[in-house]
């Protein structure tokens, strides 16, 4: 890539000369936690059983790229969620989860320009499906938390359920999902935009024609075509015009 340039305050671009046109792209893929939404859901769920600090430390190390085995790190964190109830997760959703500034505006602009939208998350379907519905996103892939059956039903077991596509949505799966959806739509990777904030987003960002780091970890900012370091997600529209 060419050297990064501050296109506007808090908005850095590298590897191309802006502005681009949104209509030159056909698919945009978003990470969820700390990208479309303001929290890391796994950390907030852990707060219900007094383990937020322990879980958040693992999350931070994974997002910074200091832990390279995302699957192992996620299993460690999910194991610490054993006993959390569906009611606890409902409270996280209603009391703590908010869309990040500009998320709704950016998704709406993309939809208006004819792009398909994809949410691909290392988080959980409990939240991802709701965010999908709220924003009108076309496709979603995330992890499924296992619930106890029997007398203790409605509480987490501390495990994830395998799905038809695999066991855990990590960085490699995010990349594969982006390319799979693009292929199903008859698109080339160059027609895709990928937006994320953590190290596990880098594989899909590297596969896309345009990569966007939103309020991201340093390892992600330095590798993205666009880094939004101040303001909301709608600032992408300053670089990629509707």
């Amino acid at each position: 890539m060419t050297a990064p340039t501050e296109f506007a305050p808090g908005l850095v671009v590298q590897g191309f000369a802006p502005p681009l046109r949104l209509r030159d792209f056909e698919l945009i893929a978003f990470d969820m936690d700390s990208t479309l939404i303001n929290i890391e859901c796994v950390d907030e769920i852990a707060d219900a059983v007094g383990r937020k600090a322990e879980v958040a430390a693992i999350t931070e190390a994974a997002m910074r790229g200091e832990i390279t085995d995302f699957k192992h790190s996620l299993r460690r964190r999910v194991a610490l969620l054993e006993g959390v109830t569906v009611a606890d997760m409902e409270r996280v959703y209603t009391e703590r989860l908010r869309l990040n500034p500009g998320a709704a505006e950016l998704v709406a602009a993309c939809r208006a320009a004819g792009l398909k939208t994809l949410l691909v998350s290392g988080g959980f379907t409990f939240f991802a499906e709701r965010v999908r519905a709220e924003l009108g996103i076309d496709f979603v892939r995330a992890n499924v938390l296992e619930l106890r059956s029997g007398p203790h039903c409605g509480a987490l077991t501390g495990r994830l359920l395998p799905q038809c596509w695999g066991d855990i949505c990590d960085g490699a799966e995010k990349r594969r999902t982006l390319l799979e959806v693009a292929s199903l739509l008859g698109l080339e990777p160059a027609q895709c935009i990928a937006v994320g904030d953590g190290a596990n987003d880098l594989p899909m960002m590297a596969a896309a024609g345009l990569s966007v780091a939103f309020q991201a970890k340093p390892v992600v900012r330095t590798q993205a075509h666009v880094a939004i370091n101040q303001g909301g997600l709608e600032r992408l529209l300053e670089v990629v015009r509707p």
Side-chain angles (χ1 to χ4, degrees):
M1 285 189 182
T2 58
T5 302
E6 190 168 53
F7 178 71
L11 192 60
V12 176
V13 301
Q14 60 179 330
F16 70 99
L20 301 176
R21 295 186 307 169
L22 197 56
R23 293 183 182 276
D24 290 336
F25 298 91
E26 300 286 347
L27 173 68
I28 184 166
F30 294 96
D31 169 54
M32 182 176 70
D33 295 48
S34 298
T35 299
L36 282 178
I37 65 174
N38 64 322
I39 60 172
E40 293 286 337
C41 292
V42 66
D43 299 352
E44 302 307 318
I45 297 170
D47 201 21
V49 284
R51 293 171 178 160
K52 181 176 180 178
E54 184 177 359
V55 170
I58 302 172
T59 300
E60 178 68 12
M63 294 303 99
R64 293 178 68 89
E66 296 163 5
I67 296 175
T68 56
D69 188 340
F70 180 84
K71 288 188 177 184
H72 177 66
S73 78
L74 185 61
R75 289 191 184 101
R76 284 174 61 195
R77 285 175 283 166
V78 170
L80 294 169
L81 304 181
E82 183 178 0
V84 171
T85 67
V86 171
D88 293 328
M89 293 194 291
E90 287 283 358
R91 281 192 291 273
V92 170
Y93 178 75
T94 58
E95 297 175 9
R96 305 188 186 189
L97 187 153
R98 299 292 182 268
L99 294 178
N100 267 331
E105 291 86 347
L106 178 57
V107 171
C110 290
R111 290 169 57 85
L115 280 73
K116 293 296 185 181
T117 50
L118 166 65
L119 189 166
V120 57
S121 174
F124 311 119
T125 53
F126 182 90
F127 303 100
E129 291 289 356
R130 296 172 186 218
V131 172
R132 174 194 190 177
E134 185 171 356
L135 290 173
I137 288 175
D138 297 298
F139 308 101
V140 64
R141 180 158 294 175
N143 301 301
V144 179
L145 292 162
E146 182 181 62
L147 292 171
R148 290 175 181 162
S149 56
H152 299 289
C153 64
L156 300 182
T157 65
R159 295 186 295 271
L160 295 166
L161 289 174
Q163 300 181 71
C164 60
W165 46 261
D167 55 352
I168 289 176
C169 188
D170 62 353
E173 182 59 30
K174 287 189 174 192
R175 178 183 184 276
R176 196 187 73 79
T177 302
L178 172 69
L179 296 176
E180 176 187 24
V181 173
S183 178
L184 288 171
L185 296 172
L187 307 177
E188 296 295 326
Q191 296 173 283
C192 302
I193 303 172
V195 187
D197 75 296
N200 65 323
D201 297 314
L202 286 172
M204 75 168 179
M205 291 170 67
L210 184 71
S211 56
V212 182
F214 177 68
Q215 309 287 3
K217 305 304 181 189
V219 68
V220 182
R221 292 199 304 266
T222 59
Q223 297 183 50
H225 293 113
V226 180
I228 302 170
N229 301 324
Q230 297 175 18
L233 280 162
E234 83 287 349
R235 294 207 67 193
L236 180 60
L237 301 174
E238 297 176 37
V239 178
V240 188
R241 302 286 171 79

